[in-house]
Amino acid sequence: MQAYEERLTAPRSWWFIAVLTGVAMALILLPLGTVPMLAGLVGGGALAATAVSSYGSVRIRVVGDALVAGDARIPVEALGTPQVLDAEEARAWRTYKADTRAFMLLRGYVPTALRIEITDPSDPTPYVYLSTRSPERLAAALTAVRAS
């Protein structure tokens, strides 16, 4: 059973920058001829698009009795009450309120977030910070899994 799933995709402007990277590589290689220019266009654009895609393909899921955020898999029973963060509060927890021991899956292009305390005494991680476009839905999914 999958209660929640979200993919944090990169904004469209990043894809435009990837295209511009390919164009820049083409212009750099233009003095060497047409074939190197086309190779720069395709190669530079492909490398930039791969970087944008890999960074922007992180997923947050609630599957069974676990929260899966990126590569982390955290049992729901090890989590405390979720705290929905608006844009201002999320920025505060990303900057001056942040704890270096926290697990932070953050994306600067996602303004809202969810903060969840870790209640497992054997885990040194104080909390989980997740950038999410719908923190209320994620909090509800975690609460529903904990209740069942």
Side-chain angles (χ1 to χ4, degrees):
M1 177 182 128
Q2 190 160 320
Y4 179 85
E5 180 168 5
E6 177 180 11
R7 182 178 299 271
L8 299 177
T9 56
R12 289 186 187 110
S13 60
W14 288 26
W15 292 101
F16 181 67
I17 292 169
V19 170
L20 290 180
T21 302
V23 170
M25 287 303 298
L27 291 174
I28 290 169
L29 296 174
L30 180 62
L32 301 176
T34 306
V35 173
M37 179 197 69
L38 292 174
L41 176 67
V42 172
L47 285 174
T50 301
V52 169
S53 176
S54 67
Y55 185 76
S57 66
V58 69
R59 291 186 345 175
I60 299 172
R61 298 176 291 160
V62 177
V63 182
D65 62 346
L67 168 66
V68 181
D71 294 334
R73 184 176 185 89
I74 307 162
V76 173
E77 55 268 0
L79 298 173
T81 305
Q83 177 187 3
V84 174
L85 304 175
D86 62 9
E88 184 178 324
E89 194 66 23
R91 186 177 56 248
W93 280 102
R94 281 194 309 264
T95 56
Y96 64 90
K97 285 186 177 180
D99 189 330
T100 56
R101 300 170 299 150
F103 174 77
M104 300 184 83
L105 189 141
L106 61 93
R107 296 296 186 258
Y109 50 84
V110 178
T112 54
L114 189 70
R115 182 180 170 275
I116 314 157
E117 296 288 333
I118 301 290
T119 58
D120 184 2
S122 64
D123 191 345
T125 308
Y127 61 88
V128 175
Y129 174 98
L130 303 172
S131 291
T132 173
R133 289 188 175 95
S134 51
E136 295 87 5
R137 279 188 39 227
L138 179 54
L142 289 169
T143 304
V145 167
R146 186 177 301 120
S148 63

